[in-house]
């Protein structure tokens, strides 16, 4: 190639390398500047990098790809999204699939509130929109913040990206300012209409851009555009389904009145929002909407039922992440027939062997499915499926696809029943199934690589350490290369990388920028809340709710650890205290005690804690309440509320509810016929409250 009149004397391969290097550098500085507000180089240095890149592209036009930093000049990349903490958590919904589930939902509500069979419960039924939820904060009638749901506690600031959505009023009508509280949050679902989606995809295809799989992805992708000038070109809409008023609006007593107000304020709602007071009404409405579904311009994946009475909603509160006063009634799953090519066995974090069906890929309800769960050994036998069979599969919402049945008439003559392995294919250890257990487990424990890698995935996952960009694939890659062995290695990654050859940035799929971002994300997570830390340890039976309860009970990690070390025999005080925590039965207690007693785990913990700051547990909500931090035991029957409601209320005020009286009990609330707990509390000198006294204290 002639280099006359050219600035760079290199072949295309060299040019490509040079281009990548400068692009990465620019992206890195963009990241520092826009996301971290912390530039490392002067503006003129930055400009000269850009100029060099432009010149390189003039000489080698093939390098001028759509994702080159030169193509973003003019439409400056927006700031990375800021995190915002939700004033009221954004909850999810539990699912129901049948008439029985709906009837159970109503029964649970009746039981919780202490209502009789004949007391009517008004329920608002409305479509469940398949989009992405957002929270809109208004102050003195002005939209001041729009945020995504995120993990429910914390989302991302998308205020700039929703400016072009007409369904989102930027200013509430003057006429309502007097009736509305000063601060309020509207919750809703952003979606893309089906027609707009089809048109967008057509345009994208024409210009050789990414085509979206469904309207939901298109909506999510559009909102999450860092560059708001792109969101503007994407036709998005919103339906409102919730309103948080922070105690204001006392004259509004029902969910349907909230909706009337929202409509007056200029928000849109989907069709088919109606009130019913029995299961048959809800079912008929559900079936009718299901029939109408194909002609709607928005995707829906079920109905949502909400208790209309707001005082009841308040009393019902929520469990873990979902309200007790609402439920999603999902539409029936879509089905398809395909070939079961093979049955693979996966080894989970706790050693459980789970059979997975490997399928000939098939489209079910708009999604390509190539794997399905088979749950366990018995399930394979019950369903009678064999490799080679034609099988009917189904997929409901986001749920992992299931195998329904084999088509026996099409079974190949030479097929054989599946034999469940009795050894772990990953580490060769014996896999045993304990009496009464459905699951067969690998006994390899700490030596089993499959368990180790799953534990690491769990450790960095969203509800645990939540390290951004640290997905399953990366964990697998780093584990296979022997770079990551134990959780503490994650926090050593930066040092480890210095000694690697080749370093991470030169590995397949990596670059300088992605390594820097990952290391920054890891660094960001060196301080962690106690409940997340406990959950991250991946102890069997210790899910998020239990982790939170343990954190609330023990308060700090050193205390938890000490108590677990002390809880080695069932008779001793520490073990008994552990059992007194709500939801902690002997199975959970034994796992916890065994986990902390294991010397290897102790080594890992010491190593890990040398990098971390595990925060003491902070009582959420109402720290001002008189019972925050107190341990309460209920006994006897209460007359004004059910035991479940009393317990939920105490917890929401920051109290710990325990099922047995111990030295730590502050109050015993005694209803009718207190029994042995009352006696024990009297002996222990615990403050005993009548139901009325308790009601005053917990107001
Ligand atoms: S109510 C506490 N109503 O479904 C109540 N949610 O699975 C929480 N969604 O994150 C939500 N349509 O994004 C509600 N009519 C509707 C909805 C709806 C769609 C989404 C929402 C939520 C998710 C929960």
């Amino acid at each position: 190639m002639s280099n006359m009149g050219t600035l760079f004397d290199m072949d295309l391969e060299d040019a490509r390398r040079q281009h990548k290097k400068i692009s990465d550098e620019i992206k890195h500085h963009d990241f520092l500047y826009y996301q971290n507000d912390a530039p490392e180089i002067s503006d003129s240095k930055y400009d000269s990098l850009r100029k060099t890149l432009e010149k390189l592209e003039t000489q080698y036009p093939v390098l001028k790809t759509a994702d080159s930093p030169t193509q973003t000049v003019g439409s400056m990349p927006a700031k990375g999204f800021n995190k915002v903490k939700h004033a009221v958590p954004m909850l999810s919904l539990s699912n129901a699939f049948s008439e029985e589930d709906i009837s159970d939902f109503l029964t649970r509500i009746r039981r919780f509130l202490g209502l009789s069979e004949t007391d009517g419960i008004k329920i608002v039924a409305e479509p469940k929109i398949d989009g992405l939820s957002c929270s809109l904060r208004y102050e003195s009638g002005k939209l001041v913040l729009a945020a995504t749901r995120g993990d429910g506690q914390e989302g991302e600031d998308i205020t700039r990206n929703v400016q072009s959505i007409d369904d989102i009023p930027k200013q509430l009508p003057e006429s309502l300012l007097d009736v509305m509280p000063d601060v309020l949050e509207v919750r809703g679902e952003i979606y893309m209409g089906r027609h707009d989606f089809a048109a967008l995809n057509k345009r994208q295809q024409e210009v050789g851009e990414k085509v979206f799989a469904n309207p939901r992805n298109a909506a999510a992708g559009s909102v999450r555009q860092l560059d708001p000038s792109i969101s503007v070109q994407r036709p998005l809409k919103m339906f409102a389904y919730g309103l948080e008023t922070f105690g204001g609006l006392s004259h509004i007593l029902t969910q349907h009145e909230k909706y009337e107000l929202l409509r007056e304020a200029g928000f849109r709602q989907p069709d088919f929002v109606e009130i019913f007071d029995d299961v048959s009404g809800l079912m008929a409405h559900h079936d009718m909407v299901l029939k109408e579904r194909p002609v709607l311009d928005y995707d829906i994946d079920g109905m949502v039922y909400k208790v209309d009475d707001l005082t009841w909603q308040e009393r019902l509160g929520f469990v873990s992440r979902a309200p007790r006063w609402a439920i999603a009634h999902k539409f029936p799953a879509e089905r398809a027939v395909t070939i079961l090519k093979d049955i693979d066995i996966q080894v989970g974090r706790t050693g459980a062997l789970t059979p997975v069906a490997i399928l000939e890929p098939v489209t079910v309800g708009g999604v390509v499915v190539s794997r399905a769960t088979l749950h366990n050994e018995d399930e394979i036998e019950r369903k009678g499926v064999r490799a080679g069979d034609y099988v009917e599969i189904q997929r409901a919402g986001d749920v992992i696809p299931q195998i329904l049945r084999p088509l026996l008439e099409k079974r190949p003559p030479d097929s054989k029943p599946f034999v469940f392995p009795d050894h772990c294919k990953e580490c060769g250890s014996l896999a045993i199934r304990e009496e009464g257990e459905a699951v067969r487990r690998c006994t390899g424990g700490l030596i089993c690589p499959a368990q180790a890698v799953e534990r690491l995935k769990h450790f960095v996952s969203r509800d645990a350490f939540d390290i951004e960009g640290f997905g399953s694939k990366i964990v697998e890659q780093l584990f296979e290369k022997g770079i990551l062995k134990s959780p503490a290695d994650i926090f050593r990654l930066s040092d480890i990388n210095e000694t690697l050859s080749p370093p991470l940035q030169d590995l397949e799929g990596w670059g300088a920028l992605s390594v820097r971002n990952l290391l920054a994300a890891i660094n960001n997570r060196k301080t962690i809340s106690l409940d997340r830390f406990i959950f991250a340890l991946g102890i069997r039976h210790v899910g998020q709710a239990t982790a939170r309860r343990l954190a609330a009970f023990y308060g700090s990690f050193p205390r938890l650890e000490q108590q677990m070390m002390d809880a080695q025999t069932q008779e001793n005080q520490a073990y008994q205290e552990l059992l007194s925590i709500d939801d902690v039965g002997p199975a959970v207690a034994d796992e916890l005690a065994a986990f902390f007693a294991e010397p290897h785990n102790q080594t890992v913990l010491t190593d890990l804690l040398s990098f971390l700051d595990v925060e003491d547990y902070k009582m959420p909500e109402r720290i001002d309440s008189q019972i925050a931090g107190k341990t309460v035991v209920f006994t006897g029957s209460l007359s004004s509320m059910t035991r479940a409601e009393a317990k939920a209320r105490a917890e929401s005020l920051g109290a710990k509810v325990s099922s047995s009286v111990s030295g730590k009990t502050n109050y015993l609330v005694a209803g009718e016929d207190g029994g042995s707990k009352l006696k024990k509390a009297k002996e222990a000198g615990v403050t005993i409250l009548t139901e009325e006294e308790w009601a005053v204290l917990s107001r």
Side-chain angles (χ1 to χ4, degrees):
M1 183 195 293
S2 149
N3 67 350
M4 275 228 324
T6 57
L7 293 157
F8 306 97
D9 180 16
M10 52 177 100
D11 65 17
L12 184 60
E13 262 335 285
D14 282 338
R16 210 185 281 284
R17 228 167 283 137
Q18 181 74 359
H19 185 275
K20 176 154 184 350
K21 189 165 162 267
I22 303 172
S23 300
D24 281 351
E25 233 174 301
I26 292 177
K27 284 182 194 156
H28 168 62
H29 292 300
D30 279 345
F31 178 78
L32 291 175
Y33 183 81
Y34 293 108
Q35 186 130 331
N36 293 3
D37 277 330
E40 270 176 10
I41 55 168
S42 67
D43 287 359
S44 63
K45 273 230 172 84
Y46 176 82
D47 288 341
S48 97
L49 277 176
R50 276 191 173 276
K51 286 219 179 70
T52 318
L53 201 66
E54 279 164 23
K55 283 182 194 149
L56 199 56
E57 290 183 0
T58 319
Q59 195 179 336
Y60 303 99
V62 288
L63 301 178
K64 195 168 171 175
T65 53
D67 62 359
S68 161
T70 60
Q71 300 308 296
T72 58
V73 188
S75 66
M76 293 287 270
K79 261 191 173 200
F81 296 105
N82 285 324
K83 296 261 186 225
V84 273
K85 199 146 182 71
H86 297 303
V88 178
M90 291 185 78
L91 305 176
S92 41
L93 292 166
S94 4
N95 290 331
F97 294 95
S98 63
E99 182 159 355
E100 198 188 343
D101 293 346
I102 301 306
S103 154
D104 288 349
F105 166 65
L106 294 177
T107 307
R108 278 197 302 275
I109 292 173
R110 284 214 162 79
R111 206 177 293 144
F112 191 92
L113 296 175
L115 303 178
S116 79
E117 271 305 309
T118 49
D119 288 319
I121 306 178
K122 287 208 167 61
I123 301 281
V124 181
E126 61 194 69
K128 184 166 190 301
I129 314 300
D130 199 7
L132 68 147
S133 45
C134 73
S135 178
L136 308 167
R137 187 177 177 88
Y138 290 86
E139 288 175 11
S140 312
K142 191 173 175 315
L143 173 68
V144 292
L145 179 71
T148 59
R149 176 172 184 276
D151 64 2
Q153 305 288 338
E154 196 177 74
E156 286 176 325
D157 183 345
I158 49 163
T159 316
R160 300 219 298 157
N161 308 62
V162 304
Q163 292 304 320
S164 54
I165 304 180
D166 290 338
D167 293 339
I168 299 182
K170 313 302 171 298
Q171 173 73 49
L172 301 178
E174 280 290 317
S175 56
L176 286 179
L177 294 187
D178 289 342
V179 260
M180 296 280 225
D182 207 37
V183 176
L184 57 93
E185 286 191 10
V186 175
R187 302 273 162 94
E189 196 84 351
I190 296 181
Y191 69 96
M192 189 178 286
R194 286 189 185 156
H195 284 96
D196 289 333
F197 165 71
L200 169 69
N201 260 357
K202 190 156 168 273
R203 270 202 316 276
Q204 293 283 102
Q205 195 154 28
E206 279 162 8
V207 296
E209 287 282 335
K210 178 185 163 120
V211 171
F212 296 99
N214 53 46
R216 210 204 81 82
N217 287 1
S222 303
V223 166
R224 291 193 43 85
Q225 274 293 335
L226 269 177
D227 181 352
S229 68
I230 297 184
S231 332
V232 167
Q233 300 161 20
R234 303 279 173 82
L236 294 173
K237 295 184 172 147
M238 191 193 83
F239 283 132
Y241 62 66
L243 175 63
E244 301 292 339
T245 59
F246 308 98
L249 268 195
S250 50
H251 63 287
I252 293 239
L253 303 173
T254 57
Q255 184 76 19
H256 78 267
E257 284 165 346
K258 276 191 176 176
Y259 287 168
E260 278 162 22
L261 191 65
L262 282 171
R263 283 194 293 267
E264 268 178 66
F267 292 93
R268 287 196 320 122
Q269 286 220 288
D271 305 288
F272 314 117
V273 182
E274 269 182 57
I275 300 184
F276 297 91
D277 60 5
D278 60 5
V279 180
S280 59
L282 292 170
M283 288 306 294
H285 191 58
H286 169 273
D287 294 350
M288 185 272 284
V289 178
L290 180 57
K291 283 210 184 72
E292 294 294 322
R293 184 188 194 188
V295 297
L296 300 178
D297 191 43
Y298 42 91
D299 278 356
I300 59 178
D301 54 359
M303 298 297 287
V304 182
Y305 304 145
K306 300 175 180 170
V307 170
D308 193 33
D309 186 319
L310 298 181
T311 344
W312 281 355
Q313 284 190 8
E314 167 101 357
R315 283 177 58 192
L316 286 159
F318 51 89
V319 226
S320 213
R321 291 171 157 223
R324 285 195 191 82
W325 49 266
I327 201 160
H329 187 180
K330 301 301 274 288
F331 288 143
E334 303 190 57
R335 298 182 176 185
V337 169
T338 187
I339 299 173
L340 170 62
K341 295 199 295 192
D342 203 359
I343 296 175
D344 189 25
I345 304 286
Q346 282 184 352
V347 187
R349 168 165 64 83
T350 58
L353 304 193
T354 309
V356 177
I358 310 295
L359 305 169
E360 184 66 40
V362 61
T363 308
V364 198
V367 172
V368 178
V369 169
S370 54
R371 301 161 81 79
T373 171
L374 276 166
H375 300 294
N376 55 44
E377 213 166 331
D378 292 347
E379 179 94 349
I380 299 180
E381 202 158 310
R382 192 163 50 239
K383 293 197 167 143
V385 285
R386 301 178 178 185
D389 276 344
Y390 276 86
V391 288
E392 188 180 21
I393 61 168
Q394 78 167 16
R395 197 182 68 89
D398 305 336
V399 184
I400 309 159
Q402 289 175 315
I403 293 198
L404 294 174
R405 63 187 182 102
L407 306 184
L408 292 176
E409 62 283 9
K410 289 186 152 189
R411 171 167 285 171
D414 58 347
S415 84
K416 296 201 176 48
F418 181 71
V419 181
F420 208 91
D422 54 8
H423 280 80
C424 172
K425 70 163 196 233
E426 304 286 342
C427 69
S429 304
L430 198 65
I432 56 168
R433 190 170 160 185
E434 280 178 16
E435 185 109 347
E437 281 249 349
V439 176
R440 189 174 281 275
R441 277 176 209 283
C442 159
T443 54
L446 298 167
I447 66 144
C448 177
Q451 292 186 42
V453 80
E454 292 306 318
R455 274 198 297 271
L456 286 166
K457 283 184 198 168
H458 173 80
F459 191 85
V460 298
S461 66
R462 193 157 111 168
D463 294 329
F465 267 75
D466 190 23
I467 300 178
E468 210 170 320
F470 215 148
S472 302
K473 286 272 163 312
I474 295 187
V475 175
E476 277 166 22
Q477 191 189 18
L478 298 185
F479 185 82
E480 271 161 29
K481 295 206 178 295
I483 298 170
L484 270 193
K485 295 189 198 75
S486 102
D489 293 339
I490 294 169
F491 299 97
R492 262 193 289 270
L493 194 56
S494 170
D495 291 343
I496 295 177
N497 196 30
E498 310 262 303
T499 66
L500 289 178
S501 101
L504 284 179
Q505 48 270 36
D506 293 343
L507 294 182
E508 176 78 31
W510 292 76
L513 183 71
S514 49
V515 172
R516 254 191 302 250
N517 286 349
L518 182 67
L519 294 178
I522 292 172
N523 217 19
N524 268 336
R525 289 290 187 266
K526 286 193 172 162
T527 301
I528 185 160
S529 64
L530 179 58
D531 53 333
R532 271 182 184 267
F533 184 67
I534 299 171
F535 177 68
L537 296 177
I539 303 166
R540 199 167 147 211
H541 301 316
V542 180
Q544 259 186 305
T546 307
R548 213 165 284 150
R549 290 208 156 102
L550 290 167
F553 196 84
Y554 293 107
S556 75
F557 190 74
R559 180 157 166 74
L560 169 81
E561 193 175 24
Q562 187 56 54
Q563 292 297 106
M564 296 305 105
M565 300 293 279
D566 290 349
Q568 298 303 323
T569 61
Q570 303 209 342
E571 293 74 40
N572 77 15
Q573 173 81 13
Y575 189 88
Q576 288 307 317
E577 246 169 45
L578 180 55
L579 276 188
S580 78
I581 301 173
D582 221 26
D583 277 357
V584 176
V588 186
D590 290 349
E591 288 290 344
L592 278 161
F595 178 89
F596 283 91
E598 161 70 47
H600 176 86
N601 290 341
Q602 278 300 329
T603 316
V604 170
L605 278 174
T606 312
D607 191 11
L608 195 53
L609 289 168
S610 71
F611 295 97
L612 297 178
D613 177 15
V614 181
E615 296 173 312
D616 290 353
Y617 185 74
K618 287 196 249 353
M619 285 292 163
E621 305 178 48
R622 303 283 299 260
I623 313 163
D624 56 328
S625 91
Q626 293 191 52
I627 57 172
K630 301 279 195 285
T631 300
V632 185
V633 175
F634 291 95
T635 186
S637 57
L638 306 174
S639 61
S640 68
M641 55 176 84
T642 62
R643 183 77 78 79
E645 182 177 356
K647 205 152 105 181
R649 170 137 190 85
E651 283 179 346
S652 78
L653 292 171
K656 299 168 200 167
V657 178
S658 176
S659 55
S660 60
V661 175
S662 75
K664 290 242 242 33
T665 311
N666 296 99
Y667 299 118
L668 179 90
V669 181
E672 289 285 307
D673 302 326
S676 66
K677 284 187 203 169
L678 183 57
K679 192 162 156 262
K680 191 164 174 204
K682 277 184 181 150
E683 284 164 11
V686 170
T687 310
I688 295 167
L689 301 175
T690 62
E691 189 176 346
E692 291 71 34
E693 287 166 335
W694 163 253
V696 173
L697 204 61
S698 64
R699 223 182 345 235

